[in-house]
Amino acid sequence: MSILSGSISSRRYLIANNADSATNPSNAGAALLRHAFPVSWEGAGVKTGWVEIDDLLGVAFDHSAWNISPFYVFSMRLDTRQVPAPLLRAHLNKALDKWRMENGKRRVPRPVRNELRDTVTNELLPTVTPRSKMFDVLWDTRQNMVSFSGLSDAAAEHFVSLFQETFNCTLEPESSQEPALAEDETRDFFLWLWYSVVHGELTTRGEDGADIRYAKRITLTDETGDEVTTVVGGADGAAEARKAASAGKRPSNIRLTVAVGEVDNTFQLQSQHLFISGLKMKVQESEEEKAETQQQADADRAATIIDRAEMFIEVLDNVKDWVRLYSAHRLGSDWDQWLAQDCMPWLEGV
């Protein structure tokens, strides 16, 4: 998610039980310390634990480092340590050759081979530097919503397991809450969203005068997902994208810009779960103003986190509103008639 700088990507979860206890600052702080990433660890495989938001090694969890009211912010560190296969194979072959010479045999029994493999692995592990990754966590204590920057299923599984163990609660994907899209509706939602953006039919909450634009990137697939067309550049409703859609393909992700005053929030929506990826906030300002803004952000870490978190939540809330509008349109009117009379003529350039 990179809540302090850069672009933001995230999937969201709802704390389904024990929320009051989990969000208590004293309980949360103590839980983070108990499940902080260990200073050192041995062995192979995957190790997870919490670290401070901007420090791979930060595990002190001073109150001001993670409790930025109304948000809790921290990161999950995920380390993977594994002996590279070519290195393991080379050392194992040497060990096997040595065993054959010492025992005067041509073949090594399977139990002995397995034992030697374990021995060689354990000898090599201390020389292997683990690969470290950090994933940001943004916990909105007002709504008991938790955002996690890892979009891969593997990272998300590690996060959910660690979070639930740490805070003694249950996380449910936000997509399981209302509003939600059925798997076979996602492509239709993106088509409706694309049409609505190009025709100026979408609104945003909170701010007057927001301008929603198709940000010159859209990916379309056939029903099997095998044939993919990605269109980058061009004006809204690019002819190439419309041509692919009129031939039966449907959008599988779309990039949008929500412009409010001098601020452009550009992001990509993807998958059935409507993950937000690559969210960037661009303020139209001079180079001098940019330098001053950066200095202020560096000086006030908490303000930066709050500003970017609120921006992220506002985008998510807008997406939820659009899903509700789509669902009302799908249920309250003749969808097939809309496709035939409004959408298809536009796609075909009629």
Side-chain angles (χ1 to χ4, degrees), residues 215-234:
K216 302 181 181 180
R217 181 182 179 92
I218 190 169
T219 300
L220 305 101
T221 61
D222 63 6
E223 290 186 359
T224 66
D226 294 332
E227 295 186 16
V228 180
T229 298
T230 299
V231 178
V232 181

Side-chain angles (χ1 to χ4, degrees), residues 207-220:
E207 295 282 354
D208 294 332
D211 175 31
I212 308 170
R213 302 191 299 269
Y214 158 55
K216 302 181 181 180
R217 181 182 179 92
I218 190 169
T219 300
L220 305 101

Side-chain angles (χ1 to χ4, degrees), residues 66-103:
W66 60 272
N67 187 358
I68 316 295
S69 183
F71 305 107
Y72 295 163
V73 290
F74 45 93
S75 294
M76 182 183 80
R77 175 175 165 181
L78 186 152
D79 276 18
T80 304
R81 181 188 278 126
Q82 185 174 4
V83 179
L87 181 64
L88 175 60
R89 185 162 50 249
H91 282 269
L92 178 59
N93 287 338
K94 282 190 174 184
L96 293 172
D97 289 342
K98 180 180 179 182
W99 187 92
R100 293 188 190 98
M101 290 182 61
E102 292 176 347
N103 292 274

